[in-house]
Amino acid sequence: RRNGKKGAAMLEEYLIGNCSPTLASLKTANLFSMPYTSEEELTEQIAFWNAQMKEKGLSVILLRKRAATALVYVCRKTRLQENILKPGVLHFLERYGYRSTDADEAIVHLKERLSNLEGEGFPHEIGIFLDYPLGDVIGFIENAGRNFKCSGCWKVYCNECEAVKLFARYKKCRDVYLRLWQQGRSVLQLTVAA
């Protein structure tokens, strides 16, 4: 209970454990599931962290709620916007009903797609929202998740060498952030402004 708010402190631990590369501005976004006990507490946690992170250029978004589990998306919307505008990305997203290059509108559509899925699955285009290369997202879909070159934060179908380096950077970032957080640094102190 580092900041006196049980819920906010719990979310803080999830942010460090799952979102360090995004906090460090190495990655556009991260996604994680976390348990929650009450919708009111969950709403307060999300609002608290959104207020904290706004000045650093990050958004904390509740994508989906299921029985006692919340799916939380932490992103840098300006980077997501840039990713959507990369060659081929919008054309790819249009196949799944996305009609705008606006990051906020895309997130709203992603939420709708998630709510329409049965079970705990994910729409395949979610990789675009998590900064996965378009070629790897398409490769995953075309190969039904099989025949990948390597696997780390995602399954790699294209540039294996680059992906392996990136996975190592993300892991090192996570390890460093976790150590600094355990030594008393706050999530806010560890979040790079962008």
Side-chain angles (χ1 to χ4, degrees):
R1 294 196 188 191
R2 300 161 53 114
N3 59 7
K5 297 184 106 180
K6 183 186 83 183
M10 184 170 90
L11 186 51
E12 182 173 6
E13 192 168 344
Y14 278 88
L15 288 168
I16 286 293
N18 297 284
C19 302
S20 297
T22 299
L23 300 178
S25 203
L26 298 177
K27 195 169 182 294
T28 298
N30 285 100
L31 183 69
F32 61 89
S33 290
M34 64 172 268
Y36 69 94
T37 49
S38 80
E39 286 196 32
E40 182 184 359
E41 182 184 8
L42 177 64
T43 302
E44 286 175 10
Q45 288 180 56
I46 299 289
F48 173 83
W49 282 106
N50 248 321
Q52 297 291 308
M53 297 298 201
K54 190 175 186 172
E55 68 186 61
K56 302 277 190 161
L58 274 117
S59 297
V60 180
I61 301 162
L62 177 62
L63 284 184
R64 176 171 70 191
K65 284 185 294 194
R66 292 281 161 89
T69 305
L71 184 64
V72 180
Y73 179 61
V74 178
C75 86
R76 295 182 179 273
K77 286 184 185 175
T78 54
R79 293 228 349 224
L80 176 60
Q81 187 79 54
E82 291 166 10
N83 290 355
I84 292 170
L85 293 171
K86 285 181 181 174
V89 173
L90 183 60
H91 178 70
F92 168 78
L93 289 174
E94 284 173 344
R95 293 188 228 168
Y96 301 97
Y98 294 85
R99 297 285 172 248
S100 172
T101 58
D102 180 73
D104 286 310
E105 287 182 37
I107 291 167
V108 167
H109 189 70
L110 177 64
K111 278 183 174 183
E112 289 169 8
R113 299 250 312 137
L114 279 161
S115 70
N116 293 332
L117 283 176
E118 297 297 318
E120 295 296 313
F122 296 99
H124 294 310
E125 77 274 10
I126 201 163
I128 297 298
F129 291 81
L130 296 171
D131 213 8
Y132 301 172
L134 178 60
D136 291 338
V137 175
I138 292 169
F140 181 86
I141 294 166
E142 290 176 350
N143 290 279
R146 295 185 298 273
N147 307 319
F148 48 90
K149 293 179 179 180
C150 73
S151 181
C153 301
W154 64 86
K155 291 182 177 176
V156 178
Y157 293 87
C158 295
N159 193 338
E160 181 180 7
C161 186
E162 190 61 36
V164 168
K165 287 181 200 168
L166 213 46
F167 296 161
R169 281 181 72 198
Y170 293 165
K171 184 188 179 317
K172 182 176 182 179
C173 174
R174 205 170 279 115
D175 293 346
V176 168
Y177 269 48
L178 191 56
R179 186 180 72 245
L180 291 172
W181 182 73
Q182 288 168 339
Q183 292 171 354
R185 288 269 190 61
S186 72
V187 167
L188 209 55
Q189 290 171 321
L190 292 169
T191 301
V192 174

